[in-house]
């Protein structure tokens, strides 16, 4: 009889016996037991029949064309591996990123254009050439409130100094004005720094270079001769060639105010204000006590000059005497 | 006692040569290995997962993985067991994701032709019928009963039983293919046979 407690191990032994997995001694032992126990023999026979049944089960054939499908699948994967970045995920991420960039650009571009327009209208300086439609003067530089159709801006033929400007004086009394100008050049001790005047056609050109203080004093001395001029305009140049502001009907006080500015930026900013102010109404020729804009007082303290600054050649003024 | 039909011993050498050629990128060698093993792999997978479409897909995936990883095959085991290890792993993972066949479905009332087939099967298993098992399983109904009974086994037992009694692998090959101890194979196999016997008894 079979002990039920031994069933698991007996099943395993019978299974191993069936498959020839037992040692010779064990095999003979089971063989003897089966020979003496009809119940055990029946169990072994049932196991054998079950195994034979499974072995006899028909073999399923693989679908036709499987080999071709496998090779095609491999080919697809190989192709995909050649372009690892063009996976659905990464391609989607790239498209999403591109869409975000385009959207951001679409939002920022009108804002930028609007900001440029506002800057052009309200800002202290128009934008440099090329920033916004090539500038108002067709690329010649920064010109504010210059009359339409006016002559091109004069450019100083001397190296740029801290103050660099071209003063055009229209006068039909050239001789008297020349005499006065040469006198004040001499009295302010600038004759050694200034080359002889040049004469071309109806224009006399004086290049005056020297310390700001002396140039300022020269301008002071010119007040007396200002009444000889029919008109005056000043073109102030910045450190860049394209930076220039033209002030029509400029006054001596305005020029001195510009001369006193401590930086290029502030000088250009002030010049732009003068240009706008003068464009509003006639200021020139100023009588004594005429409207003179106050000299700008800059926030941030007083200008600190070194002891030798008084003699530093930092101003360049080209004066053009022209017959109207 | 019947010894399982073995085919693998006769082709080991050929396999080694073909695998070596595969590793050098010989497409014809790959094709020959696929053609050589596709039916056996498909049959084993089908018996385990019991779905033709799944079996076809898993077979394809098995060979794709074989080719993709052929470079890493070092010959520590035979190509045959290595290939079956891939197939069994894929199938086992597939089975784990799938809802198992409920046990009670096999005990649904039988149609007359099924009842007749069950009677013949019962007689055969009890040793009362003289049917040749090969002829017996030609009966579609009997084949279906056997397969459905097999499907009721736990996955690990079903896999061992299919590899041993249907594919004819040795215990050592099964242990290698499943990456388990030999003793585990023996115990799983005996439990699988006993469980299938009980299931078949309850069905027929």
């Amino acid at each position: 009889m079979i002990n039920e407690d031994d069933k698991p191990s007996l099943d395993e032994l019978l299974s191993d016996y069936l498959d020839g997995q037992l040692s010779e001694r064990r095999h003979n032992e089971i063989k003897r037991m089966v020979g003496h126990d009809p119940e055990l023999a029946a169990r072994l026979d049932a196991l054998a029949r079950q195994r034979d049944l499974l072995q006899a089960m028909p073999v399923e054939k693989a679908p036709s064309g499987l080999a071709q499908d496998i090779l095609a699948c491999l080919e697809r994967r190989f192709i995909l591996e050649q372009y690892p970045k063009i996976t659905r995920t990464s391609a989607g991420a790239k498209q999403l990123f591109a869409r975000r960039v385009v959207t951001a650009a679409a939002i920022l571009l009108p804002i930028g254009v609007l900001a440029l327009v506002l800057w052009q209208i309200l800002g202290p300086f128009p934008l440099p050439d090329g920033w916004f439609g090539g500038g108002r003067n067709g690329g010649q530089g920064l010109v504010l409130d210059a009359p339409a159709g006016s002559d091109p801006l004069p450019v100083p033929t001397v190296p740029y100094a801290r103050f660099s400007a071209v003063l055009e004086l229209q006068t039909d009394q050239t001789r008297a004005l020349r005499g006065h100008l040469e006198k004040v050049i001499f009295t302010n001790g600038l004759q050694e720094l200034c080359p002889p005047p040049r004469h071309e056609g109806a224009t006399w050109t004086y290049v005056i270079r020297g310390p700001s203080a002396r140039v300022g004093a020269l301008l002071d001395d010119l007040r007396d001769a200002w009444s000889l001029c029919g008109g005056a305009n000043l073109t102030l140049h910045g450190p860049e060639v394209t930076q220039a502001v033209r002030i029509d009907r400029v006054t001596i006080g305005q020029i001195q105010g510009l001369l006193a500015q401590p930086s290029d930026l502030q000088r250009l900013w002030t010049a732009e204000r003068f240009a706008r102010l003068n464009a509003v109404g006639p200021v020139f020729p100023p009588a004594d006590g005429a409207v003179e804009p106050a000299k700008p007082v800059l926030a941030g303290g007083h200008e600190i000059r070194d002891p030798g600054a008084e003699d530093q050649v930092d101003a360049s003024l080209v004066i053009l005497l022209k017959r109207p | 006692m019947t010894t399982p039909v073995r085919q693998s011993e006769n082709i080991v050498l050929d396999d080694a040569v073909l695998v070596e050629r595969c590793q050098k990128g010989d497409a014809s060698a790959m094709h020959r290995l696929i053609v050589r093993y596709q039916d056996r792999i498909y049959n084993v997978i089908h018996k385990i997962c019991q779905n033709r479409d799944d079996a076809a897909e898993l077979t394809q995936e098995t060979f794709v993985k074989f080719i993709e990883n052929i470079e890493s095959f070092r010959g520590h085991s035979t190509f045959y067991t290595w290939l079956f290890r891939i197939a069994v792993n894929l199938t086992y993972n597939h089975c784990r994701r799938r809802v198992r066949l409920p046990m009670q479905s096999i005990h649904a009332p039988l149609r007359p032709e099924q009842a007749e087939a069950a009677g013949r099967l019962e007689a055969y298993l009890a040793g009362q019928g003289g049917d040749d098992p090969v002829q017996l399983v030609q009966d579609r109904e009997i084949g279906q009963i056997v397969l459905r009974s097999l499907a009721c086994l736990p996955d690990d037992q079903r896999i061992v039983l299919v590899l041993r009694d249907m594919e004819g692998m040795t215990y050592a090959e099964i242990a290698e293919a499943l990456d388990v101890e030999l003793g585990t194979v023996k115990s799983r196999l005996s439990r699988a046979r006993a469980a299938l016997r009980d299931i078949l008894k309850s069905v027929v």
Side-chain angles (χ1 to χ4, degrees):
Chain A
M1 290 293 291
I2 302 168
N3 185 347
E4 286 300 310
D5 292 341
D6 294 339
K7 270 180 71 176
S9 58
L10 190 60
D11 272 340
E12 196 169 326
L13 283 172
L14 289 177
S15 181
D16 289 350
Y17 177 80
L18 204 60
D19 289 336
Q21 294 292 317
L22 294 174
S23 64
E24 192 177 348
R25 187 181 65 81
R26 269 292 171 91
H27 183 86
N28 291 333
E29 196 178 329
I30 297 294
K31 190 176 182 181
R32 186 172 49 79
M33 284 172 66
V34 168
H36 287 88
D37 189 338
E39 195 177 339
L40 192 60
R43 179 179 286 196
L44 180 64
D45 184 57
L47 275 181
R49 284 173 175 272
Q50 180 179 291
R51 183 202 58 188
D52 294 345
L53 191 70
L54 292 178
Q55 286 179 356
M57 288 289 286
V59 173
E60 296 286 336
K61 296 276 184 189
S64 60
L66 182 70
Q68 281 70 31
D69 290 345
I70 292 163
L71 294 174
C73 179
L74 281 166
E75 216 166 274
R76 281 197 301 276
R77 289 194 184 186
F78 177 77
I79 290 167
L80 287 175
E81 278 171 10
Q82 297 304 300
Y83 303 96
K85 291 182 180 174
I86 311 178
T87 60
R88 272 182 290 175
T89 309
S90 61
K94 280 177 74 176
Q95 285 177 358
L96 185 62
F97 179 72
R99 276 206 300 274
R100 283 177 178 167
V101 169
V102 169
T103 306
I107 292 168
L108 292 176
L109 189 64
I111 292 172
V113 169
L114 186 64
L116 288 175
V117 169
L118 289 173
W119 178 264
Q120 184 79 357
I121 295 167
L122 303 173
F125 302 110
L127 292 167
D129 181 32
W131 273 58
F132 195 63
R136 290 188 197 174
N137 64 342
Q140 284 201 26
L142 196 65
V143 181
L144 292 182
D145 302 313
S150 61
D151 293 336
L153 291 177
V155 178
T157 55
V158 294
Y160 176 75
R162 195 172 70 83
F163 173 87
S164 186
V166 178
L167 176 64
E168 283 184 54
L169 298 173
Q170 278 89 40
T171 179
D172 52 2
Q173 299 181 54
T174 311
R175 188 183 184 90
L177 194 55
R178 279 186 54 217
H180 192 81
L181 183 59
E182 286 172 13
K183 182 183 167 190
V184 297
I185 288 172
F186 181 80
T187 54
N188 285 285
L190 293 167
Q191 73 280 4
E192 291 179 0
L193 296 169
C194 300
R198 284 182 285 120
H199 183 215
E200 290 175 11
T203 303
W204 285 86
T205 304
Y206 287 83
V207 178
I208 299 163
R209 300 188 70 237
S212 298
R214 281 199 238 173
V215 173
L218 177 142
L219 287 167
D220 234 2
D221 294 340
L222 269 182
R223 281 181 191 276
D224 299 336
W226 210 247
S227 59
L228 300 175
C229 303
N233 61 63
L234 182 87
T235 303
L236 179 74
H237 289 267
E240 302 294 330
V241 175
T242 54
Q243 289 178 319
V245 179
R246 176 173 170 141
I247 308 169
D248 289 333
R249 297 184 288 276
V250 71
T251 66
I252 294 286
Q254 287 175 336
I255 300 171
Q256 287 176 322
L258 295 174
L259 203 58
Q261 297 301 320
S263 72
D264 294 326
L265 185 65
Q266 285 158 345
R267 190 171 298 107
L268 285 166
W269 186 84
T270 307
E272 186 248 344
R273 294 294 170 204
F274 289 162
R276 289 190 180 184
L277 179 70
N278 293 359
V280 173
V283 178
F284 186 89
D288 286 343
V291 180
E292 287 281 342
K295 291 184 180 180
V297 177
L298 300 169
H302 302 286
E303 185 180 5
I304 299 170
R305 290 177 180 272
D306 58 57
E310 291 293 319
D311 298 325
Q312 191 178 351
V313 177
D314 59 355
S316 165
L317 180 65
V318 177
I319 298 178
L320 305 175
L321 301 183
K322 289 185 174 179
R323 282 183 190 280
Chain B
M1 283 184 292
T2 314
T3 305
V5 178
R6 293 303 315 273
Q7 300 173 16
S8 58
E9 285 90 348
N10 299 328
I11 55 177
V12 166
L13 186 61
D14 282 348
D15 281 356
V17 172
L18 288 174
V19 165
E20 198 179 331
R21 286 172 56 188
C22 278
Q23 287 175 326
K24 291 174 183 172
D26 186 341
S28 66
M30 291 178 194
H31 191 263
R32 284 184 64 181
L33 281 172
I34 292 169
V35 170
R36 178 176 292 173
Y37 283 107
Q38 61 178 4
D39 287 343
R40 293 171 67 182
I41 292 289
Y42 176 82
N43 183 53
V44 163
I45 293 174
H46 178 257
K47 293 292 191 298
I48 295 171
C49 76
Q50 304 209 356
N51 179 293
R52 289 179 196 280
D53 292 337
D54 290 349
E57 196 173 316
L58 289 166
T59 304
Q60 180 174 311
E61 190 63 24
T62 298
F63 283 106
V64 168
K65 276 200 178 302
F66 136 61
I67 292 169
E68 283 180 343
N69 296 293
I70 191 70
E71 291 290 329
S72 65
F73 179 68
R74 294 282 173 267
H76 299 311
S77 59
T78 61
F79 170 73
Y80 166 76
T81 53
W82 185 68
L83 188 62
F84 272 80
R85 176 186 283 201
I86 296 172
V88 168
N89 281 337
L90 286 171
T91 311
Y92 185 67
N93 289 334
H94 172 79
C95 289
R96 283 198 304 182
R97 291 194 297 269
R98 191 188 58 178
V99 178
R100 283 192 60 198
L101 186 67
M103 189 71 177
Q104 58 269 31
S105 67
I106 203 169
H107 294 127
L110 299 177
R111 298 191 309 273
E113 61 270 23
Q114 288 176 321
E116 192 267 333
R120 285 174 63 204
L121 183 59
E122 182 184 18
Y124 166 77
L125 291 172
Q128 296 163 355
D131 282 340
D132 177 5
V134 177
Q135 288 180 344
L136 199 67
V137 294
Q138 297 304 311
D139 185 332
R140 190 174 170 275
E141 296 297 342
I142 291 177
Q144 284 298 313
I145 291 171
V146 174
L147 284 178
R148 288 172 65 192
S149 302
L150 204 58
C152 293
L153 292 176
D155 292 335
D156 55 347
Q157 293 181 17
R158 185 168 67 256
I159 288 170
V160 171
L161 198 59
V162 168
L163 291 179
R164 173 62 194 162
D165 287 344
M166 292 181 159
E167 173 54 26
M169 277 187 170
T170 65
Y171 283 28
E173 285 171 338
I174 295 170
E176 201 172 310
L178 300 181
D179 198 19
V180 295
E181 297 294 325
L182 202 64
T184 306
V185 175
K186 286 183 179 182
S187 60
R188 279 186 193 174
L189 189 59
S190 67
R191 284 204 304 275
R193 282 171 171 166
L196 184 65
R197 178 192 60 207
D198 293 342
I199 293 167
L200 284 171
K201 263 186 188 173
S202 69
V203 172
V204 299

